[in-house]
Amino acid sequence: MTCSRPTFAEITEWVADYEKHDHVAHATVHVLPQEDPEHLESGIVAVHLNHGPASIYLNVDCDRKWTAALTERSGEFPLSGGHLIALGEELLTTGRLCEYLQSRTD
């Protein structure tokens, strides 16, 4: 089976285009090279959440479907109401970025 993922350059361009018209609220977004040795030409999108001790990685598979993986964290982290709202905005807008990447891939 041939695996046809978007290239690193395509993903970088799509993220830049997304950020021109929308943005991932409060979060920091980076496109990183794919670590899978069979797919080095592709990339992943890393979103560092500024209001929670975690990151989200957006990855595309060989079926050209984007998924999000939230890094696991142990323990509790107390949040004020404002920080909880900001974390929710980070998650919502990261989901929108994932959907945008899916639409560009399709």
Side-chain angles (χ1 to χ4, degrees):
M1 179 175 112
T2 303
C3 183
S4 173
R5 296 181 185 198
T7 66
F8 181 85
E10 287 173 321
I11 295 168
T12 301
E13 177 184 334
W14 295 344
V15 169
D17 287 347
Y18 179 83
E19 290 183 320
K20 286 179 190 173
H21 306 288
D22 206 343
H23 67 282
V24 179
H26 312 289
T28 306
V29 180
H30 299 282
V31 179
L32 305 172
Q34 182 65 253
E35 292 182 1
D36 182 348
E38 294 183 21
H39 306 288
L40 294 175
E41 74 286 349
S42 191
I44 62 172
V45 179
V47 180
H48 173 72
L49 303 177
N50 291 322
H51 290 88
S55 294
I56 297 176
Y57 295 94
L58 305 178
N59 194 15
V60 62
D61 64 20
C62 288
D63 293 327
R64 300 178 65 81
K65 299 295 179 200
W66 284 90
T67 57
L70 182 64
T71 59
E72 183 178 345
R73 297 290 185 222
S74 61
E76 295 180 13
F77 56 96
L79 297 171
S80 68
H83 281 116
L84 186 58
I85 290 168
L87 176 60
E89 290 172 344
E90 288 176 322
L91 294 173
L92 176 65
T93 57
T94 299
R96 288 182 179 149
L97 172 59
C98 188
E99 288 295 308
Y100 176 79
L101 293 170
Q102 186 63 62
S103 70
R104 293 297 301 259
T105 301
D106 291 343

